[in-house]
Amino acid sequence: MSKRALAASLLLASLICSPVVRADPLQDLQALVKQGQFTQALERADQMLASKPRDAQVRFLKGVVLSELNRNNDAITVFQKLTEDYPELPEPYNNLAVLYAQQRQYDKARTALEMAIRTHPSYATAHENLGDIYARLASQAYDKALSLDSSNQGAQNKLAMIREMMSVSGKTVRPTAPATAVAAAPQTVRPAAPAVVAPPVVPAAQARPATPPPVMVAQNSKPVTPPPAAAAPVVKEEPKPAAKRPESKDEAQPQAVAISKAVQSWASAWSRKDVKTYLSHYGRDFEPPKGLNRKAWEEERSQRLTKPGNIEVELENVKVVSVSGDRATVKLRQHYRSANLSTSSNKTIGLVLQDGKWVIQQERVGG
């Protein structure tokens, strides 16, 4: 999630949607946020709250600014207090859920989103985000099942489906509303004190991810179709014509599903630090990088995977760009995170069908 884009979108939404003309100090605060001057914006927000400590609009902006400054715990405190003072507002619950999701506290994120929906049942963004949180929780559960039994084929297939669904979207749980949606008019809070304008809808920025990203709903996406039963292994005893004809669309579709599942299973084993399963996804004729032989490369990979600390590998935009006989090419965007490293890169992977299983023959960054 691009935090600077989030701040700019927040300003735009508030200027377009707010039916109440606010004083110049609020406009100055919004301008500072738009310009990315978050330290000055925080000082201005604190000055304004000194005289009007219950101003929901300023408090909401302060929470956004704190998250821009990577002070997520302080931002959580601001949004949490807003939900206590104005429990009828759904936006603070939603943004609270975003921050919890960034910290992988998915149970807390789920509870916050359920509260947002309870206060505003037609809040589409909260419903969508809740679905994405359920997907994250399901992924964790299947990962745990595979850590206890790596041969559980059912769990492998389900995890591959979940990861494929998440990679199609390439997004994370987002604040309030999609960037392409028209922001809803802010509600008016009517406590015992004078009416307070609710925080504006905060459009999501395009992810890296979280965020959370850096939500996982794709624009113009199609429903995820469960993969068909695994195709029978290719029998190689039969002689093949010298020239391979391109496969028809109907023939290639089941193969593409199997190839995509194989790539997702590889990433899942990597994330679980399951060395044996991870290495089994590489073919007998895999070409190791850096001029290493196969044995030296496997030893190096084993050492890296067994180091202390968590590893997370997420794939997005996984596309099977070609399938020709027993060979295929996949292009994707890979996000790798560990305690000491966080990288994102485009990758081209060449696969080959060996013993009825699609395995990696070549990896190349870029493409």
Side-chain angles (χ1 to χ4, degrees):
M1 176 174 64
S2 170
K3 291 185 174 180
R4 184 152 307 214
L6 172 60
S9 299
L10 169 63
L11 173 65
L12 179 61
S14 63
L15 290 178
I16 292 176
C17 301
S18 178
V20 180
V21 177
R22 302 298 300 265
D24 287 343
L26 180 62
Q27 295 175 4
D28 292 342
L29 174 59
Q30 292 169 335
L32 289 171
V33 174
K34 180 181 179 181
Q35 295 162 11
Q37 300 182 38
F38 301 121
T39 300
Q40 296 90 326
L42 182 58
E43 293 175 356
R44 182 66 56 85
D46 285 337
Q47 291 171 3
M48 295 170 68
L49 291 172
S51 59
K52 294 183 178 180
R54 287 182 58 83
D55 190 313
Q57 184 86 344
V58 177
R59 290 165 66 184
F60 190 87
L61 280 167
K62 179 179 179 179
V64 172
V65 169
L66 286 168
S67 66
E68 295 285 353
L69 294 171
N70 294 319
R71 293 173 55 180
N72 288 348
N73 289 335
D74 292 335
I76 286 174
T77 299
V78 170
F79 289 125
Q80 180 65 52
K81 194 65 170 65
L82 269 172
T83 64
E84 295 170 3
D85 293 345
Y86 301 107
E88 64 270 46
L89 296 181
E91 291 88 356
Y93 287 114
N94 185 80
N95 283 28
L96 192 58
V98 172
L99 292 168
Y100 283 143
Q102 289 176 353
Q103 297 179 349
R104 301 177 183 276
Q105 298 186 64
Y106 297 126
D107 286 325
K108 287 186 176 181
R110 178 189 60 193
T111 299
L113 288 168
E114 288 173 346
M115 288 299 299
I117 292 169
R118 186 177 303 174
T119 63
H120 189 18
S122 60
Y123 192 7
T125 300
H127 283 284
E128 190 175 2
N129 284 348
L130 183 59
D132 297 320
I133 290 297
Y134 282 139
R136 295 284 184 180
L137 290 168
S139 177
Q140 285 185 338
Y142 292 136
D143 268 330
K144 181 62 176 178
L146 288 171
S147 70
L148 298 172
D149 179 10
S150 61
S151 65
N152 187 331
Q153 189 62 44
Q156 289 178 7
N157 291 340
K158 293 171 184 176
L159 180 60
M161 288 176 61
I162 289 288
R163 289 192 180 278
E164 183 174 3
M165 179 187 71
M166 288 159 51
S167 69
V168 166
S169 67
K171 297 180 183 178
T172 58
V173 177
R174 63 195 178 193
T176 47
T180 55
V182 178
Q187 304 171 14
T188 300
V189 183
R190 302 188 183 277
V196 179
V197 177
V201 172
V202 184
Q206 295 299 323
R208 43 201 266 340
T211 67
V215 145
M216 298 160 281
V217 177
Q219 296 178 355
N220 303 320
S221 63
K222 297 181 179 179
V224 178
T225 303
V234 174
V235 179
K236 296 187 178 180
E237 287 73 18
E238 293 295 330
K240 297 180 180 180
K244 296 180 182 178
R245 66 175 180 84
E247 294 184 348
S248 69
K249 184 177 180 181
D250 291 340
E251 291 173 321
Q253 183 60 28
Q255 292 284 59
V257 172
I259 292 164
S260 180
K261 286 176 60 178
V263 172
Q264 295 289 354
S265 178
W266 161 74
S268 175
W270 192 355
S271 295
R272 299 194 312 271
K273 305 176 70 172
D274 183 344
V275 176
K276 182 178 179 181
T277 304
Y278 170 79
L279 293 177
S280 73
H281 282 283
Y282 289 87
R284 293 185 291 270
D285 55 349
F286 171 68
E287 304 171 10
K290 305 176 185 178
L292 297 175
N293 60 41
R294 180 61 178 263
K295 182 178 180 181
W297 174 79
E298 288 191 354
E299 289 177 352
E300 180 185 72
R301 297 306 299 160
S302 298
Q303 290 174 1
R304 289 190 179 183
L305 264 67
T306 53
K307 285 183 178 179
N310 294 329
I311 290 177
E312 181 180 358
V313 181
E314 290 189 9
L315 308 181
E316 65 174 313
N317 298 330
V318 178
K319 296 180 181 178
V320 180
V321 296
S322 69
V323 181
S324 179
D326 61 352
R327 297 182 183 276
T329 302
V330 173
K331 291 190 176 183
L332 53 86
R333 180 76 173 169
Q334 174 184 296
H335 302 288
Y336 173 91
R337 288 180 292 278
S338 67
N340 301 316
L341 180 65
S342 179
T343 63
S344 296
S345 59
N346 294 322
K347 217 172 202 181
T348 301
I349 299 179
L351 297 99
V352 63
L353 192 63
Q354 290 181 355
D355 303 324
K357 177 182 177 181
W358 286 99
V359 291
I360 299 172
Q361 187 180 46
Q362 184 182 52
E363 287 181 90
R364 186 173 72 253
V365 176

